[in-house]
Amino acid sequence: MDVIELQAILAKEQHHPHYLLQMLRLVQEKENYISPQVMSFFAEKLNIPLTKVQGVVDFYSLLNTTPRDYHILFSNNIIEQLQGKEQLMKQLMSKLGVELGKVRADNRVCIDNTSCIGMSDQGISVLVNGLTITNLDEQRISEMVDLIEKKIPVSQWNAQWFEVKDNIQRKDQLLSTDFIAGSVLDKMKNNTADQIMEILKVAGIRGCGGAGFPLDSKWDFCRQTPADERFVVCDADEGEPGTFKDRILFQSYADLVFEGMTICAKIIGAKQGFLYLRGEYRYLLDSLEKILEKRRDQNLLGTAILGDSNFDFEIKIFMGAGAYICGAETALIESLHGNRGVPRRRLPYPVHQGYNKKPTVVNNVETFCLAVKALQMGGETFAKLGTEQSHGTKLLSISGDCKKPGIYEFQYGVSVREVLESCGADISNIQMVQNSGPAGNSLSPEDFDRKIAFEDVSTTGSIMIFNKDKDLLEVIQNFANFFVHESCGFCTPCRVGTSIIKNLVNKVRKGRGSNVDLKEMQDLSILIRNAAHCGLGMTATNHISDTLKKFPQIYKERLHNSESLHPTFDLDAALEDARQITHRQDAAAHLSA
Amino acid sequence: MENIITIDEQMIPFKTGQTIMDAAMEAGVYIPHLCHNPEFEPHGSCRVCVVKVNGRMMSSCTTKATAGQKIENNTPELQENRRCLTQMLFVEGNHVCPGCEKSGNCQLQAVAYYTEMLSPRFQHFYPYRELDPTHPDVIIDFNRCILCELCVRASRDIDQKNIFAMSGRGIKAHLIINSPTGKLGDTDLNVNDKAVQVCPVGAIIKRKQGYMNPIGERFYDQAPIDEMGDIAEPHAGAKHHD
């Protein structure tokens, strides 16, 4: 990349060190890798240590440091894995002659895995040079090989491949909203911040990111903290495997999100907002920029919004680059500063000291939409939706063993069974439903009459269904691998503990475990939950403790020896390398069992 | 209410703004720790100092003391947690105490003794890590690094040199060095820099001092860590005797 192009990127991002990640992402998008020269350039121009740039590049998994023309990342959520992603990936690798994670000798192509890219309802999906391709099959794989060998740029590939359908299967209040951009801002135009807050208080909206924190308290804390500047951040780092609701909201309801952020800005007195969009949703960026531009034209953003000389607000889209941890609000704020996405310590809260150490509201995409909905329909009407403690509706991203995967909107209080019935799951055949992704909880058929609500089955919206023919230990192994990949590495229990858990699951899955290993998994999951620095670590072993409790048989039936300690080392397995090298698979090359 | 917290039944006074660790150190109550050094901003990454505050697990180095907190510190449950975290650190790197120049002066080893660690418990990871001998006065052996980031903080905040930084993610997180080659010899690190003094383990060691002080007469050979305190700041955090 020449200096003129790099200078242009610097200028586009205002020479601001906070936008380092944005600059690096632009380079990655153009060149598919970030060279040492580029890193030195930014270090020098932004006057930051080179190691800071290196540390950032090495933290975000969508950034590379070696050249390649095509960078292909397979979404390796368990849903795709059970649909045969592994076989398709192997086909592609063998046809192209590449090894997993290694760039081909001619620097043409590299194939690797990545965490869920938010397409669990769209078949097997990949990111090719950052863009999403869905519904992969053998046909598409063969054509892809041709395109790559002929060096056809991704921009000239079959446009149909890049289609991402909304896939809305059930609408309730939010998704059936007939919304005109600016209508709620206009409706609230003559209301004071206190008056708007009053409506939101009556509505009783709770955050959709997982914790269920009351929206009105969060906004109140922020606006009541004395400061000369405040910020609004929309957390669209939708990384929980199996969830894809934000994708739909941005594809078809983006104005609701932006209107919600703008209302929040009006209330707390923020002039700048950020939409933190996960890097995996790069394909949405251009259309979102257009919508923002349109809102500026309509005077719904910018200075003196709707003629109110005291109301200026701008939204910048900030792209992530592959880090689940950045969905945690303090890690997200670190990332917004152009840093590695390492969560801050618990206090002070972002509503007191967030972006630039100023009071900051960080809310989920869906939460901002609900705020607009409540203002549109009135606080009291909104509060009647759902249950006493969980008002409104919830978007569920359903995937796995069911006839109609997709987005389902239900009012809180719906039973798990009703949800499963509506998506065409074969209820008598279900083994487990994983709620809220690997960090959530594992539901067995005994839980199906429980209600989706903060007071019962609380959910981030990811619902993955596994029938009885699925190997649950394969599911658990996938989840354990996910946390090893996504731990930020800051604190000991999460950094090291997730790897130990992964090894133990592997050991049991291979039939070499004993009860001692199960006890170790149980003890470690408690320790990691208790000792971890942040929410990721505290929930990284939920899938282990939940399944050990609810599905003990899936572990027990694989034990080699249920009583005593059994070594991990397997002499026969250790000889596999030697067999590969010598091309021997005859009986004499194996130890008898 | 008076500024008093209770640690294991003992009343401890604190000043507004102090953390639980600050108050404990001042009162001579030992809470095991590795990434904490009172000269620096609290970090909260090793998690060895986690205590139970009103029933909830919190790292004492990053949690502010507030009047009336009931804190559990030296309990079998917390000692077990700390032992387990220490074991994790041992298996994550390559820590061979008998062959390490820091043996006897090493906080990781001392905490292992204090928590009565008798085995590695987990399978060793045996990572491949380099040793960087390029500097004339200082050696850095990444095998022994526990990612406490004390050198990062010291070099940035006190030496103002920014020689060390973190890179990678998760189990691949590692220390990197700020020079065009990534080697220590190409930095302006000086043996007297704070960053060289603060390493609690044997990752950053000074040359030409090997075994000047024989094993058996070293810092933690005199008494356990709860009596001796930190190696970088002798007696910081050590138990007081009445």
Side-chain angles (χ1 to χ4, degrees):
Chain A
M1 204 165 201
D2 61 40
V3 177
I4 296 171
E5 287 175 290
L6 288 171
Q7 290 283 11
I9 288 176
L10 261 181
K12 180 176 186 291
E13 299 297 342
Q14 301 155 41
H15 291 77
H16 201 307
H18 284 186
Y19 300 146
L20 170 66
L21 180 58
Q22 303 310 290
M23 299 174 195
L24 294 170
R25 204 196 59 75
L26 288 167
V27 175
Q28 165 78 32
E29 196 167 297
K30 187 116 204 306
E31 298 217 303
N32 284 324
Y33 88 110
I34 294 155
S35 66
Q37 293 76 9
V38 167
M39 290 190 236
S40 301
F41 175 87
F42 287 129
E44 189 195 323
K45 296 293 175 189
L46 298 172
N47 197 21
I48 52 178
L50 176 63
T51 42
K52 155 111 198 237
V53 185
Q54 292 167 334
V56 167
V57 172
D58 217 10
F59 187 87
Y60 294 92
S61 67
L62 297 182
L63 305 179
N64 307 316
T65 52
T66 54
R68 73 235 20 214
D69 298 325
Y70 299 93
H71 186 57
I72 303 174
L73 292 169
F74 277 77
S75 176
N76 78 341
N77 187 20
I78 184 64
I79 300 298
E80 287 93 327
Q81 187 175 316
L82 292 172
Q83 288 169 354
K85 162 239 150 196
E86 208 65 32
Q87 290 86 315
L88 282 188
M89 186 161 86
K90 279 191 182 134
Q91 271 184 27
L92 186 63
M93 290 197 301
S94 88
K95 285 184 178 172
L96 287 168
V98 287
E99 280 177 66
L100 185 68
K102 291 193 179 140
V103 184
R104 205 166 77 173
D106 62 355
N107 288 351
R108 179 71 60 87
V109 57
C110 179
I111 298 172
D112 211 338
N113 282 305
T114 193
S115 298
C116 181
I117 64 170
M119 301 288 152
S120 302
D121 61 331
Q122 310 272 321
I124 294 165
S125 307
V126 289
L127 291 174
V128 178
N129 294 355
L131 294 174
T132 305
I133 294 182
T134 60
N135 294 304
L136 269 192
D137 53 19
E138 293 192 12
Q139 175 70 25
R140 285 190 178 183
I141 291 284
S142 308
E143 289 176 37
M144 200 184 276
V145 173
D146 273 356
L147 291 165
I148 291 170
E149 295 297 8
K150 287 181 188 146
K151 237 182 154 178
I152 311 283
V154 177
S155 56
Q156 291 169 29
W157 292 15
N158 188 343
Q160 239 184 346
W161 293 7
F162 298 89
E163 262 176 27
V164 179
K165 295 205 173 68
D166 262 4
N167 207 0
I168 297 170
Q169 300 285 349
R170 188 182 195 280
K171 292 182 177 182
D172 207 300
Q173 293 293 326
L174 183 68
L175 296 183
S176 47
T177 300
D178 204 3
F179 184 71
I180 299 162
S183 58
V184 166
L185 277 169
D186 192 53
K187 188 179 172 192
M188 294 296 131
K189 196 175 160 188
N190 297 317
N191 291 30
T192 63
D194 286 343
Q195 287 167 331
I196 305 174
M197 279 307 292
E198 203 42 53
I199 304 172
L200 292 173
K201 273 195 185 96
V202 172
I205 300 163
R206 294 175 68 171
C208 300
F213 194 77
L215 172 134
D216 55 285
S217 308
K218 190 180 261 189
W219 293 15
D220 262 344
F221 285 138
C222 184
R223 73 188 181 122
Q224 286 158 4
T225 304
D228 55 351
E229 225 182 341
R230 295 185 183 77
F231 295 94
V232 178
V233 177
C234 175
D235 181 347
D237 193 49
E238 175 172 65
E240 203 62 68
T243 179
F244 43 87
K245 66 182 172 61
D246 294 354
R247 184 191 94 205
I248 279 87
L249 290 172
F250 284 123
Q251 280 190 181
S252 302
Y253 299 83
D255 263 310
L256 270 179
V257 187
F258 294 138
E259 190 111 346
M261 291 175 71
T262 314
I263 287 280
C264 177
K266 180 181 163 95
I267 292 171
I268 66 168
K271 296 210 175 341
Q272 179 66 52
F274 294 100
L275 166 62
Y276 189 98
L277 185 66
R278 69 184 307 219
E280 290 81 349
Y281 285 167
R282 167 62 185 84
Y283 81 100
L284 289 167
L285 180 62
D286 303 338
S287 64
L288 291 176
E289 292 285 12
K290 273 191 200 122
I291 293 170
L292 286 178
E293 204 44 52
K294 200 168 161 207
R295 290 181 72 87
R296 284 179 199 114
D297 291 344
Q298 294 171 314
N299 193 212
L300 302 173
L301 274 181
T303 49
I305 291 172
L306 294 181
D308 180 350
S309 57
N310 290 319
F311 188 13
D312 302 344
F313 183 58
E314 249 314 329
I315 295 175
K316 178 178 169 74
I317 300 179
F318 192 104
M319 294 293 295
Y324 167 71
I325 184 65
C326 291
E329 61 180 12
T330 63
L332 186 154
I333 288 170
E334 281 300 307
S335 187
L336 279 178
H337 287 96
N339 296 334
R340 295 157 55 78
V342 173
R344 295 176 175 182
R345 61 184 95 120
R346 226 172 116 251
L347 295 171
Y349 293 119
V351 285
H352 300 127
Q353 278 186 38
Y355 184 72
N356 269 348
K357 295 197 170 166
K358 303 291 182 186
T360 302
V361 162
V362 183
N363 270 133
N364 186 273
V365 180
E366 190 180 357
T367 316
F368 282 116
C369 295
L370 289 178
V372 175
K373 188 68 211 172
L375 295 175
Q376 192 191 42
M377 72 197 296
E380 272 146 30
T381 319
F382 184 92
K384 287 197 187 103
L385 304 171
T387 70
E388 206 170 307
Q389 291 173 59
S390 313
H391 298 173
T393 65
K394 179 74 198 134
L395 299 182
L396 303 178
S397 312
I398 302 185
S399 62
D401 290 320
C402 63
K403 290 203 183 77
K404 293 174 290 176
I407 285 290
Y408 291 75
E409 185 189 11
F410 281 99
Q411 290 188 25
Y412 281 112
V414 65
S415 73
V416 176
R417 187 180 303 280
E418 283 170 80
V419 170
L420 295 172
E421 274 165 2
S422 71
C423 68
D426 176 6
I427 294 189
S428 61
N429 201 16
I430 296 176
Q431 188 176 189
M432 178 175 93
V433 172
Q434 184 67 18
N435 167 47
S436 294
N441 40 27
S442 313
L443 306 176
S444 75
E446 283 175 24
D447 298 306
F448 289 175
D449 290 314
R450 293 172 63 190
K451 310 273 183 223
I452 303 272
F454 290 105
E455 60 270 31
D456 194 356
V457 177
S458 178
T459 185
T460 59
S462 167
I463 303 276
M464 298 188 278
I465 306 168
F466 303 101
N467 276 353
K468 287 175 181 157
D469 61 337
K470 301 297 185 296
D471 174 6
L472 281 193
L473 267 188
E474 183 181 355
V475 177
I476 291 154
Q477 180 84 72
N478 177 283
F479 292 172
N481 291 349
F482 170 76
F483 287 109
V484 171
H485 189 257
E486 297 300 340
S487 166
C488 80
F490 176 77
C491 77
T492 313
C494 179
R495 182 182 70 242
V496 187
T498 51
S499 284
I500 296 175
I501 290 275
K502 173 189 145 175
N503 294 343
L504 286 169
V505 173
N506 200 22
K507 182 180 176 186
V508 173
R509 216 183 143 202
K510 280 188 168 165
R512 300 193 62 79
S514 68
N515 271 329
V516 180
D517 296 302
L518 301 190
K519 171 138 194 335
E520 191 79 302
M521 285 162 76
Q522 180 61 39
D523 292 350
L524 269 178
S525 23
I526 296 168
L527 172 98
I528 297 171
R529 184 187 313 143
N530 282 336
H533 167 69
C534 79
L536 185 154
M538 289 175 196
T539 55
T541 52
N542 282 353
H543 63 287
I544 300 289
S545 43
D546 251 20
T547 51
L548 276 170
K549 193 168 136 206
K550 291 187 181 175
F551 305 95
Q553 74 286 358
I554 62 162
Y555 294 94
K556 296 243 152 98
E557 64 198 19
R558 298 279 185 101
L559 296 186
H560 175 87
N561 179 335
S562 60
E563 295 312 316
S564 59
L565 187 74
H566 196 82
T568 309
F569 183 72
D570 177 347
L571 186 54
D572 186 60
L575 289 171
E576 189 51 37
D577 282 347
R579 284 193 290 264
Q580 299 265 344
I581 294 165
T582 55
H583 303 289
R584 279 186 59 183
Q585 285 299 338
D586 55 294
H590 289 269
L591 292 172
S592 52
Chain B
M1 207 174 356
E2 262 193 287
N3 277 354
I4 290 199
I5 54 176
T6 316
I7 302 183
D8 293 338
E9 318 281 304
Q10 190 184 337
M11 312 263 272
I12 312 270
F14 70 92
K15 299 183 200 83
T16 306
Q18 276 189 322
T19 61
I20 293 170
M21 178 68 85
D22 294 335
M25 279 192 158
E26 212 164 293
V29 170
Y30 176 65
I31 302 177
H33 55 271
L34 289 169
C35 71
H36 185 66
N37 176 321
E39 287 188 71
F40 300 91
E41 271 282 292
H43 201 238
S45 66
C46 75
R47 313 307 288 174
V48 169
C49 78
V50 166
V51 292
K52 234 178 182 171
V53 184
N54 300 331
R56 186 174 173 172
M57 300 279 191
M58 315 275 262
S59 51
S60 53
C61 70
T62 59
T63 306
K64 290 262 187 286
T66 55
Q69 279 168 337
K70 293 230 175 320
I71 295 158
E72 292 174 39
N73 172 35
N74 196 355
T75 67
E77 182 191 19
L78 289 167
Q79 288 298 83
E80 164 65 29
N81 278 1
R82 291 161 184 166
R83 181 162 59 240
C84 183
L85 292 167
T86 312
Q87 287 163 320
M88 285 184 181
L89 289 169
F90 266 93
V91 300
E92 181 193 20
N94 297 308
H95 299 275
V96 189
C97 296
C100 179
E101 155 56 20
K102 198 68 180 274
S103 190
N105 290 327
C106 169
Q107 248 170 279
L108 178 67
Q109 186 189 39
V111 168
Y113 277 121
Y114 178 75
T115 57
E116 297 176 353
M117 175 181 145
L118 298 174
S119 77
R121 176 169 170 180
F122 308 113
Q123 221 190 332
H124 279 282
F125 290 12
Y126 294 125
Y128 181 80
R129 295 191 192 164
E130 301 270 353
L131 182 145
D132 178 351
T134 55
H135 193 279
D137 304 316
V138 177
I139 290 178
I140 180 156
D141 184 346
F142 296 103
N143 288 292
R144 303 167 186 163
C145 176
I146 57 167
L147 309 179
C148 67
E149 294 184 47
L150 273 166
C151 59
V152 176
R153 289 177 273 168
S155 185
R156 181 189 62 210
D157 302 340
I158 295 185
D159 305 331
Q160 314 260 321
K161 289 185 179 177
N162 269 315
I163 287 175
F164 302 98
M166 292 301 297
S167 193
R169 183 168 95 188
I171 196 66
K172 292 180 186 158
H174 61 279
L175 199 64
I176 53 171
I177 290 164
N178 191 9
S179 73
T181 54
K183 296 289 182 198
L184 204 56
D186 294 319
T187 67
D188 55 352
L189 182 80
N190 183 286
V191 68
N192 297 315
D193 283 352
K194 190 76 178 173
V196 179
Q197 327 304 321
V198 292
C199 183
V201 294
I204 300 178
I205 47 174
K206 294 176 192 170
R207 285 180 185 263
K208 300 166 200 136
Q209 297 195 359
Y211 299 96
M212 270 167 49
N213 191 8
I215 299 230
E217 292 174 24
R218 295 186 168 193
F219 191 67
Y220 295 115
D221 290 330
Q222 299 165 45
I225 191 167
D226 61 327
E227 308 258 347
M228 298 303 292
D230 299 353
I231 181 75
E233 179 77 19
H235 303 292
K239 200 156 73 175
H240 288 187
H241 293 284
D242 297 321

